[in-house]
């Protein structure tokens, strides 16, 4: 076998196979990672939609809100809407009800990112929330308050999240 034949019949096909395998592996890894991120975003969106009418009473709701920063790390609008929602759920602002408006905006934006292009404000606002469940949650909260009267919620660890409250030292 001559040098040209070796290059033509061995070296070029071998090089093409190696390069093709590397490119295929990289593309497969990239695609899998992209799909995992999309699946995480959709899962988080679905949890928030599932608890949108009961909200802060559910631990899964709180966990989901706390994961928005990580899962939607690349979307500044979603993160800003989350901050606005948290701001409006502060005890001094909660009674205005504006947190409901911001929540709808947040879920709509998350829906767009996740590919739920047909979801509307009405879809978000009209969640199922039977009155009987409200009574169960209220009774549970009352029972917990009676069982742990001395427990105070912890102070925020981030000074920016104090929302103009004075912190006793």
């Amino acid at each position: 076998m001559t040098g040209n034949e070796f290059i033509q019949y061995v070296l070029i096909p071998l090089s093409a196979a190696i390069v093709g395998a590397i490119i295929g592996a990289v593309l497969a890894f990239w695609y899998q990672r992209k799909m995992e991120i999309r699946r995480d975003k959709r899962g988080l969106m679905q949890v928030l939609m599932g608890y949108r009418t009961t909200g802060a009473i559910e631990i899964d709701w709180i966990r989901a809100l706390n994961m928005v920063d990580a899962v939607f790390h690349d979307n500044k609008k979603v993160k800003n809407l989350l901050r606005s929602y948290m701001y409006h759920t502060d005890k001094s602002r909660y009674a205005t009800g504006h947190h409901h408006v911001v929540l709808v905006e947040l879920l709509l934006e998350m829906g767009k990112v996740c590919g739920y292009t047909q979801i509307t404000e009405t879809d978000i606002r009209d969640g199922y929330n039977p009155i009987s469940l409200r009574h169960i949650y209220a009774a549970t909260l009352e029972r917990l308050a009676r069982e742990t009267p001395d427990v105070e919620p912890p102070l925020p660890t981030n000074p920016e999240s104090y929302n103009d409250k004075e912190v006793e030292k």
Side-chain angles (χ1 to χ4, degrees), residues 3 7 15 22 38 40 42 49 68 85 88 94 96-98 109 121 136 139 160 162-163:
I7 291 173
S15 299
I22 291 171
R38 185 176 179 157
D40 289 347
R42 290 179 80 117
M49 283 294 291
V68 169
Y85 177 75
H88 289 287
Y94 190 81
T96 67
H98 189 67
E109 187 60 30
E121 287 185 32
I136 293 169
E160 294 175 9
Y162 290 155
N163 297 328

Side-chain angles (χ1 to χ4, degrees), residues 145-158:
R146 283 191 308 271
E147 290 174 1
T148 56
D150 300 335
V151 176
E152 290 288 327
L155 290 174
T157 56
N158 180 355

Side-chain angles (χ1 to χ4, degrees), residues 32-149:
Q32 181 180 355
R33 178 74 179 128
K34 184 177 178 176
M35 290 298 105
E36 285 176 7
I37 291 170
R38 185 176 179 157
R39 188 173 29 252
D40 289 347
K41 287 180 179 180
R42 290 179 80 117
L44 184 56
M45 167 71 183
Q46 290 168 359
V47 168
L48 291 176
M49 283 294 291
Y51 288 108
R52 71 190 180 276
T53 58
T54 56
I57 296 171
E58 296 293 337
I59 295 298
D60 287 342
W61 170 262
I62 296 166
R63 287 182 181 141
L65 284 174
N66 284 328
M67 292 184 333
V68 169
D69 283 322
V71 175
F72 287 86
H73 69 276
D74 57 347
N75 191 302
K76 191 171 187 168
K77 187 170 183 182
V78 168
K79 291 176 70 170
N80 286 339
L81 285 167
L82 175 67
R83 293 288 167 269
S84 180
Y85 177 75
M86 290 179 177
Y87 175 81
H88 289 287
T89 57
D90 180 76
K91 188 177 181 180
S92 64
R93 295 174 199 87
Y94 190 81
T96 67
H98 189 67
H99 62 285
H100 291 298
V101 174
V102 178
L103 177 63
V104 170
E105 292 174 13
L106 173 64
L107 292 173
L108 279 173
E109 187 60 30
M110 290 173 70
K112 287 179 193 173
V113 171
C114 293
Y116 296 121
T117 57
Q118 300 299 315
I119 198 164
T120 66
E121 287 185 32
T122 304
D123 296 331
I124 294 170
R125 290 184 196 282
D126 290 346
Y128 179 64
N129 187 7
I131 292 174
S132 61
L133 285 180
R134 292 182 206 163
H135 296 296
I136 293 169
Y137 288 130
T140 302
L141 291 176
E142 287 176 18
R143 181 183 53 82
L144 289 173
R146 283 191 308 271
E147 290 174 1
T148 56

